[in-house]
Amino acid sequence: MQFVNQVQMMQNVHLAPETDEDDLYSGYNDYNPTYDTEINIKKIKIIETITAKIPSTAVTRPIATGYGVGFYKVKILRCFFFHVFIFFFNVAGLQIKYELLNCVSGSAFDLLGQSRGPAPPLEAKNEDSPEEKIRQLEKKVNELVEESCIANSCGDLKLALEKAKDAGRKERVLVRQQEQVTTPENISLDLTYSVLFNLASQYSANEMYAEALNTYQVIVKNKMFSNAGRLKVNMGNIYLKQRNYSKAIKFYRMALDQIPSVHKEMRIKIMQNIGVTFIRTGQYSDAINSFEHIMGMAPNLKSGFNLILSYFAIGDREKMKKAFQKLIAVPLEIDEDDKYISPSDDPHTNLVIEAIKNDHLRQMERDRKAMAEKYIMTAAKLIAPVIETSFAVGYDWCVEVVKASQYVELANDLEINKAITYLRQKDFNQAVETLKMFEKKDSRVKSAAATNLSFLYYLENEFAQASSYADLAVNSDRYNPSALTNKGNTVFANGDYEKAAEFYKEALRNDSSCTEALYNIGLTYKKLNRLDEALDCFLKLHAILRNSAQVLYQIANIYELMDDPNQAIEWLMQLISVVPTDSRALSKLGELYDSEGDKSQAFQYYCESYRYFPSNIEVIEWLGAYYIDTQFCEKAIQYFERASLVQPTQVKWQLMVASCFRRSGNYQKALDTYKDIHRKFPENVECLRFLVRLCTDIGLKEVQEYATKLKRLEKMKEIREQRIKSGRDGSGGSRGKREGSASSDSGQNCSASSKGERLSARLRAFPGTNEPYESSSNREIDASYVDPLGPQVERPKTAAKKRIDEDDFADEELGDDLLPE
């Protein structure tokens, strides 16, 4: 305003005559006289100094050289254009203009107004107004929806649902307040849609499918929500989870009808869902129609694989082949690996390539390629046995197709998988022949084949061949942990445990996740009696494989060797929680409790072990002895009868059955049992002694017959003993010959009495051993037995190198501590 007043002061000044009649600046001198003030030439000069740097848009015109009215007129107009520029330069143009005019009064020019101090406080809003309440409530609803989504992404589904419900309650309050302030048609439905959609999603995530469907119905039935029809896809997904396949297909088709054809990708995904649903219902022809349409419009890996599955279900060989070729031809749309190889030594280029080599995009490309290889390998293994007369011919066809495609490197993996199939069919010769074809391939394939060959020969106990191929695998790829593990196994088999441990350690350095190597190091330290180091290895392995029965057993066994039965019992309890039907673990628990003097707990676990595996002689003997010790001889009979079935050539179990009958007072049954034993083992001295005494007490006529046989056998026994004694006193050569002959005769005539006739010292120490019908012999009956499975030797785990996880042979050799029952 002050600037305008200064202009008004000049209205009485006479302007110099202009040469041009058309004055571009005419009309600017007409101002209201009420604003006249004294003109300050110095202030106008200041404005001139400021505005001189801003170019004028007017046409240059001649002006007077003196400080006349024309001079001031030009200066004032330049100031005017400066103010117009400043107005468009800043939204607060009027305020800046006001500050600029203040500079005329002598203060320094401050364009940003930094010297005037803080701005005066804004006028306080009225928080009690309806508009402000609605605004705050709307903000709170948005915050709750956001918090619900964040909680869902963090895995806290319950909290996400609570936030979604709270947002729904507040949103209804917001709508009621908006209806009181404005008309319903002016209310925005976007927030209502977001709240309902989020609530339905959280219901579905929490498996509250009925509530989710009801919420989706509210959205879909409201005509005010645009594009709500595509939510029927979500409803179809819920019906699919509920296995209501007919409704799922119905809603998928309704969603497909409501989505325009321009949304091609969305329509393809819905058709995939329809095809998968048809497969689950067994409608393979309808599924084939869906997947064939997809492969014709926009081929992708999942649809191609599902199409192969559908053709496999109906048994169409030719179409399986065509579908496999379509799957192979699906473009991956990823960059070649050559892109990540530096073409020059430029450090800047190398730095860029190193940065993008392992970024998120590159990782996505790797995952996509790995998924494609998995689909192709799985499809080939599925169709190879059925598309031709034999699985070998089918594999050959698949290999040829793969070699002619972009997945040429998978051909070798298919050949190795062919060898694995031979192995599963127990055709070891064909498996070996197939793997031997890779000896002249590149180093990676050669190492994988040699690793598998080493594994096969190790399983067949051909350690020389296993060692040879393990060396070949290691030389082909020194960083192959499976090859190093197998090499360590061959050294372990030869008894060189220190060297074996070095190979296992090298395998772990190359791959810290090689659990076979870590397990075998623990076995090696156990063989070397370095129990603390072995325990440390198995505890580390337990942290990786929490539910591994083999690892739990090894830890318990080491604690037992360290004379810590309490810890051993604790780890065995964890073991039976993982494998509750393992009879060996249960019998070991019974043994530990028995050694601690807890007979009741030992009896419980021995009974459980017998229930799952009733052929373990140690368990049978313990249970029979337990019942004899507790004076329940009739209950012990069933266990010794079971033992006699397991070891029919061992006479001691049948003698124990007869003894139990006698102890329980059933003498007739005992006599019959002894007679049956005598028929089976006529040269058993112990049986004849029992028969003689029983017949004498009962008064049977057969007593003389049995007594005669007994005397004859005792006399033969004395003769043998004399021969043995004379043989010892004779010359060395003849003594050795006679001793060999005597031992041979003894084995023929007294085999039953020397091995199978004698009971264990524990059974012999039971009460009642001095009763009349007990044997008067001072010899103890041997309770040892020969395990039909042979001695159990701990063997290290082996490793086989393949690319298909589900065919990993490294998991098949689990050690021999826990044999399958």
Side-chain angles (χ1 to χ4, degrees):
M1 296 300 295
Q2 187 177 358
F3 183 83
V4 176
N5 293 339
Q6 291 174 356
V7 177
Q8 286 295 111
M9 291 287 295
M10 300 180 184
Q11 66 177 351
N12 295 326
V13 179
H14 296 282
L15 300 176
E18 303 291 345
T19 57
D20 191 354
E21 295 180 356
D22 185 11
D23 189 359
L24 294 176
Y25 304 104
S26 60
Y28 288 99
N29 293 334
D30 300 333
Y31 297 101
N32 193 328
T34 58
Y35 296 104
D36 288 351
T37 58
E38 184 178 357
I39 300 175
N40 192 325
I41 301 301
K42 182 178 179 180
K43 295 177 181 180
I44 295 179
K45 285 184 178 181
I46 294 173
I47 297 176
E48 180 187 5
T49 304
I50 297 171
T51 59
K53 298 181 181 181
I54 302 176
S56 175
T57 57
V59 180
T60 305
R61 301 184 64 83
I63 57 174
T65 57
Y67 289 100
V69 177
F71 172 80
Y72 296 120
K73 183 176 180 180
V74 172
K75 297 297 185 286
I76 292 169
L77 291 175
R78 290 172 67 182
C79 288
F80 170 78
F81 285 110
F82 171 74
H83 288 302
V84 172
F85 171 79
I86 293 300
F87 178 82
F88 288 102
F89 179 79
N90 196 302
V91 176
L94 295 177
Q95 183 68 23
I96 296 176
K97 179 178 178 181
Y98 178 76
E99 294 297 330
L100 289 175
L101 290 177
N102 284 341
C103 74
V104 182
S105 62
S107 60
F109 179 71
D110 188 6
L111 180 61
L112 300 178
Q114 297 178 355
S115 61
R116 56 188 174 136
L122 298 175
E123 182 180 356
K125 294 182 179 179
N126 185 7
E127 296 183 356
D128 295 333
S129 64
E131 293 79 3
E132 183 63 24
K133 288 182 179 180
I134 290 174
R135 196 159 38 247
Q136 292 297 327
L137 189 57
E138 184 177 2
K139 180 180 179 182
K140 181 62 177 176
V141 171
N142 281 310
E143 289 176 353
L144 287 171
V145 172
E146 184 178 353
E147 291 172 2
S148 175
C149 296
I150 293 174
N152 182 281
S153 64
C154 295
D156 194 347
L157 302 181
K158 185 176 180 181
L159 178 62
L161 180 58
E162 292 299 325
K163 294 287 185 182
K165 288 181 179 179
D166 195 10
R169 289 190 290 267
K170 285 184 170 51
E171 189 273 335
R172 288 191 292 271
V173 175
L174 173 64
V175 171
R176 286 195 294 269
Q177 292 185 5
Q178 287 177 335
E179 289 175 348
Q180 296 175 1
V181 175
T182 182
T183 57
E185 56 271 13
N186 293 329
I187 298 176
S188 176
L189 295 176
D190 293 339
L191 184 60
T192 304
Y193 182 89
S194 339
V195 170
L196 290 174
F197 178 70
N198 179 62
L199 181 60
S201 301
Q202 303 307 334
Y203 275 135
S204 179
N206 284 270
E207 298 183 359
M208 302 173 65
Y209 298 131
E211 292 82 354
L213 289 172
N214 292 335
T215 309
Y216 278 127
Q217 284 287 1
V218 172
I219 303 175
V220 172
K221 289 183 177 181
N222 194 332
K223 302 300 182 182
M224 302 295 293
F225 295 136
S226 59
N227 299 324
R230 64 182 58 192
L231 292 182
K232 292 180 180 179
V233 176
N234 295 16
M235 300 174 72
N237 292 338
I238 292 176
Y239 283 120
L240 184 63
K241 291 177 181 178
Q242 293 179 328
R243 298 186 178 181
N244 192 344
Y245 301 123
S246 59
K247 280 196 173 182
I249 294 173
K250 174 183 176 182
F251 275 87
Y252 286 145
R253 285 176 170 171
M254 290 169 63
L256 192 64
D257 293 339
Q258 296 184 11
I259 293 178
S261 57
V262 294
H263 299 288
K264 182 179 178 181
E265 185 176 356
M266 174 66 77
R267 292 177 62 87
I268 291 296
K269 290 181 178 179
I270 295 175
M271 293 190 69
Q272 284 180 345
N273 288 6
I274 293 174
V276 170
T277 309
F278 277 131
I279 288 180
R280 293 193 178 184
T281 58
Q283 299 173 264
Y284 300 113
S285 299
D286 295 327
I288 288 171
N289 293 334
S290 297
F291 292 128
E292 281 184 341
H293 178 76
I294 294 172
M295 295 301 289
M297 296 293 295
N300 60 77
L301 295 169
K302 291 183 179 180
S303 297
F305 182 74
N306 288 332
L307 182 59
I308 293 175
L309 290 180
S310 301
Y311 284 134
F312 178 82
I314 64 176
D316 195 329
R317 294 183 177 182
E318 293 301 322
K319 288 190 176 179
M320 273 189 275
K321 291 182 177 181
K322 293 180 181 179
F324 185 76
Q325 291 172 338
K326 289 181 180 179
L327 178 64
I328 290 287
V330 172
L332 283 180
E333 299 178 355
I334 61 176
D335 294 326
E336 299 294 335
D337 293 337
D338 297 341
K339 175 183 177 181
Y340 301 98
I341 299 176
S342 177
S344 63
D345 295 333
D346 183 16
H348 178 70
T349 304
N350 294 337
L351 186 62
V352 172
I353 291 176
E354 191 66 27
I356 66 174
K357 188 180 293 183
N358 294 308
D359 60 359
H360 292 294
L361 180 59
R362 177 60 174 163
Q363 187 61 42
M364 289 175 61
E365 290 178 346
R366 288 198 187 108
D367 294 342
R368 184 176 179 84
K369 186 175 181 180
M371 182 181 67
E373 292 177 352
K374 180 180 179 180
Y375 280 136
I376 293 170
M377 291 292 293
T378 307
K381 289 191 296 182
L382 179 69
I383 68 174
V386 297
I387 58 176
E388 298 292 346
T389 55
S390 66
F391 88 94
V393 179
Y395 263 109
D396 293 338
W397 181 87
C398 293
V399 168
E400 293 301 322
V401 173
V402 170
K403 284 182 179 179
S405 69
Q406 57 183 327
Y407 304 100
V408 62
E409 67 275 5
L410 289 182
N412 293 326
D413 295 329
L414 277 174
E415 289 282 1
I416 292 178
N417 194 74
K418 178 181 177 181
I420 295 169
T421 308
Y422 278 125
L423 184 61
R424 286 181 171 173
Q425 295 180 352
K426 298 184 179 181
D427 192 347
F428 294 99
N429 295 330
Q430 286 291 341
V432 171
E433 291 298 324
T434 305
L435 290 172
K436 282 184 177 180
M437 294 189 304
F438 294 95
E439 293 183 4
K440 296 182 180 180
K441 297 285 185 178
D442 60 87
S443 59
R444 183 189 67 84
V445 179
K446 184 192 299 183
S447 178
T451 301
N452 285 281
L453 284 169
S454 175
F455 166 78
L456 290 175
Y457 283 120
Y458 182 83
L459 291 182
E460 294 180 347
N461 293 329
E462 297 183 15
F463 299 124
Q465 290 280 8
S467 179
S468 175
Y469 280 103
D471 290 334
L472 178 61
V474 171
N475 294 333
S476 301
D477 185 2
R478 186 70 188 184
Y479 300 101
N480 185 348
S482 299
L484 292 167
T485 301
N486 287 347
K487 178 59 181 176
N489 291 348
T490 59
V491 177
F492 185 98
N494 293 327
D496 192 351
Y497 303 122
E498 294 286 354
K499 189 175 180 181
E502 293 300 322
F503 281 108
Y504 297 143
K505 289 178 182 178
E506 187 176 354
L508 276 177
R509 285 193 294 269
N510 293 335
D511 183 6
S512 59
S513 63
C514 185
T515 55
E516 293 87 0
L518 185 57
Y519 183 92
N520 294 346
I521 289 177
L523 288 183
T524 306
Y525 287 146
K526 189 177 172 183
K527 288 287 186 181
L528 294 170
N529 202 29
R530 294 156 63 176
L531 298 180
D532 291 332
E533 296 176 70
L535 181 62
D536 183 58
C537 290
F538 286 118
L539 288 175
K540 289 179 180 177
L541 195 57
H542 175 64
I544 302 172
L545 307 174
R546 302 296 298 182
N547 295 322
S548 173
Q550 289 76 23
V551 175
L552 291 171
Y553 176 81
Q554 291 293 344
I555 295 173
N557 183 245
I558 290 175
Y559 275 120
E560 183 184 3
L561 295 176
M562 297 171 69
D563 295 328
D564 191 348
N566 293 327
Q567 283 289 338
I569 289 173
E570 181 180 342
W571 285 95
L572 283 173
M573 294 295 290
Q574 294 186 40
L575 173 59
I576 64 172
S577 68
V578 176
V579 281
T581 61
D582 190 280
S583 63
R584 290 185 180 272
L586 292 167
S587 64
K588 177 59 70 174
L589 266 174
E591 179 184 340
L592 290 174
Y593 275 116
D594 186 28
S595 64
E596 291 294 300
D598 193 343
K599 296 290 185 181
S600 60
Q601 285 286 350
F603 174 73
Q604 175 186 348
Y605 287 110
Y606 273 122
C607 285
E608 286 293 304
S609 177
Y610 178 79
R611 184 164 67 93
Y612 291 116
F613 184 53
S615 300
N616 190 329
I617 293 294
E618 293 179 353
V619 175
I620 292 172
E621 182 181 6
W622 192 95
L623 289 171
Y626 175 82
Y627 279 116
I628 293 177
D629 190 20
T630 55
Q631 304 298 322
F632 292 100
C633 298
E634 62 277 3
K635 289 188 177 181
I637 293 173
Q638 61 173 328
Y639 295 103
F640 293 124
E641 287 179 343
R642 169 69 67 173
S644 65
L645 292 175
V646 175
Q647 294 181 344
T649 60
Q650 295 291 326
V651 69
K652 62 181 179 180
W653 306 122
Q654 300 182 43
L655 289 173
M656 285 304 303
V657 172
S659 178
C660 289
F661 280 125
R662 180 184 54 77
R663 290 172 186 274
S664 61
N666 194 346
Y667 298 110
Q668 185 60 44
K669 190 67 175 176
L671 179 62
D672 295 338
T673 306
Y674 281 126
K675 288 181 178 180
D676 186 58
I677 295 172
H678 179 65
R679 283 193 297 270
K680 294 179 180 177
F681 304 94
E683 295 183 356
N684 186 272
V685 177
E686 299 295 333
C687 180
L688 283 172
R689 285 175 180 168
F690 284 122
L691 282 172
V692 169
R693 293 183 181 182
L694 272 173
C695 292
T696 301
D697 285 351
I698 299 176
L700 298 178
K701 297 179 180 179
E702 294 93 339
V703 62
Q704 187 63 38
E705 177 185 355
Y706 294 132
T708 304
K709 291 182 179 180
L710 179 59
K711 288 180 181 180
R712 182 172 56 85
L713 287 175
E714 288 178 346
K715 187 175 180 179
M716 292 176 61
K717 181 180 179 182
E718 291 177 1
I719 294 173
R720 291 192 188 98
E721 290 177 353
Q722 289 177 1
R723 288 179 179 176
I724 293 173
K725 185 178 180 180
S726 61
R728 290 175 181 174
D729 295 338
S731 61
S734 61
R735 181 181 60 187
K737 183 177 180 181
R738 287 193 300 270
E739 186 175 352
S741 176
S743 63
S744 176
D745 294 340
S746 175
Q748 292 177 1
N749 298 320
C750 300
S751 60
S753 61
S754 61
K755 292 184 179 179
E757 297 176 4
R758 292 178 295 181
L759 297 173
S760 65
R762 188 172 71 179
L763 292 177
R764 185 163 175 74
F766 289 144
T769 54
N770 296 322
E771 295 180 7
Y773 297 106
E774 289 293 331
S775 171
S776 59
S777 173
N778 294 325
R779 293 171 300 171
E780 294 182 350
I781 299 178
D782 187 10
S784 62
Y785 68 95
V786 178
D787 193 332
L789 296 177
Q792 297 181 26
V793 181
E794 287 183 339
R795 299 177 65 187
K797 292 186 178 181
T798 55
K801 181 68 174 177
K802 291 172 294 301
R803 300 187 61 175
I804 302 300
D805 295 336
E806 56 266 28
D807 293 334
D808 193 357
F809 281 101
D811 294 334
E812 293 189 8
E813 183 64 22
L814 299 176
D816 294 326
D817 294 288
L818 295 175
L819 295 175
E821 306 299 345

